Amino acid sequence: MTAAHAAPALRHPGLPEFGLLVILGLVWGSSFLFIKIAVENGVPPLTLATLRIGIGAIVLLTVAKLRGQRFPSFTASPERPGGLGLWGKLVFLGIIGNSLPFFLIGWGEQFTPSQLAAILMAIIPLLVLILAHFMTHDEKLTAPKIGGVLCGFAGVVVLVGVDALQGLGSQVIGQLAILGGCLSYTLYGVNARRLPQMGSEMTVGIILALGFITMAPLWLILDRPWELTPNGHAIFSVLWLGLLSTAFGNWLFFTLMRRTGASFASTNNFLVPVMGLGWGYFGYGEVPGVNAVVALVLILVGLALPRLKKR
């Protein structure tokens, strides 16, 4: 990787970055509501995952083209990033950032209560923290970082209920699948940071497109989408998930990760369940309990703790 193509140095998160993190939590938190609506109205999970990735890829690649971002070349060039090595990394990221975790988590949730699945997903920031320590030079472990992640994780446990942990160890195969999906997302977050400097829209658009290509054959064989009859609510939900949760959400995560590092960006996994409760309240009238307030306080403390001392 040449100096011209190297990723920029990380910055210490400030108010703008925390604002972006909250927006990301809101966007990805809405996914719970609209996935539920889509599935209840005629769109199978595999079809939903494939379509939202495809829509996200089309949107971001179109924006990249309009902004004049250049497609990476298939041969190495000093003028722009390219070469088989880069394309191999993009294919790898398309699989571990989309196809593999979508399949593993979706399959694992068939055997795992949703509350326990939320707790398992909340270990992603901890995994990112550990892997980033060994795989990067500028995201090392510190006591405030570890304390913040553990505090945020405790907030998620309080949110969904400690009783959910009683299911840990039963139906192990499903829980292992979810953990495999978490590890896949973790590897994506750490490795995506190491890509050469390219336009964010082009980079994420290509990753989503490659994820779509790897999922499409299985989707066509298993779901036979031409036989589906979704209603208007389902179509709206698919468009919401494709345009906002996938296109905008993935672009925002990538931008935040490139700016502040994978460890900080991954802490959105603490905010997403809380925001999901808010969306559930407005969409289905589900009223959060006192535990949601306690959880939010713990999560906010967890987000603030590592930022009290600059890297």
Side-chain angles (χ1 to χ4, degrees), residues 52-231:
R52 62 184 289 190
I53 290 174
I55 292 170
I58 292 170
V59 169
L60 288 175
L61 289 175
T62 300
V63 172
K65 182 68 174 177
L66 292 174
R67 297 190 65 182
Q69 296 176 8
R70 302 176 70 185
F71 208 71
S73 63
F74 291 97
T75 57
S77 168
E79 286 79 24
R80 58 173 170 163
L84 294 180
L86 173 59
W87 278 99
K89 292 177 184 177
L90 291 171
V91 171
F92 175 69
L93 291 172
I95 294 172
I96 67 170
N98 296 285
S99 315
L100 186 59
F102 272 31
F103 170 76
L104 288 174
I105 293 170
W107 186 82
E109 284 187 348
Q110 297 178 90
F111 312 99
T112 307
S114 59
Q115 294 93 337
L116 180 56
I119 292 177
L120 294 173
M121 291 289 289
I123 72 167
I124 290 178
L126 181 59
L127 292 175
V128 171
L129 198 65
I130 295 170
L131 285 183
H133 175 77
F134 293 102
M135 297 179 65
T136 67
H137 69 280
D138 50 5
E139 293 193 69
K140 299 304 180 184
L141 283 169
T142 64
K145 283 185 178 182
I146 296 172
V149 167
L150 292 178
C151 194
F153 180 78
V156 174
V157 173
V158 169
L159 178 66
V160 302
V162 178
D163 290 346
L165 291 173
Q166 294 177 358
L168 196 63
S170 62
Q171 296 288 351
V172 175
I173 188 68
Q175 293 167 29
L176 288 176
I178 292 174
L179 288 173
C182 293
L183 180 59
S184 186
Y185 275 132
T186 301
L187 290 170
Y188 170 79
V190 175
N191 282 279
R193 256 212 68 208
R194 304 164 75 185
L195 287 173
Q197 183 72 4
M198 300 188 294
S200 296
E201 293 83 4
M202 179 63 74
T203 304
V204 181
I206 290 174
I207 290 172
L208 288 174
L210 293 170
F212 173 83
I213 290 170
T214 58
M215 292 181 71
L218 192 64
W219 167 50
L220 295 173
I221 292 170
L222 295 181
D223 278 4
R224 299 174 65 86
W226 52 89
E227 296 180 354
L228 301 177
T229 55
N231 61 21

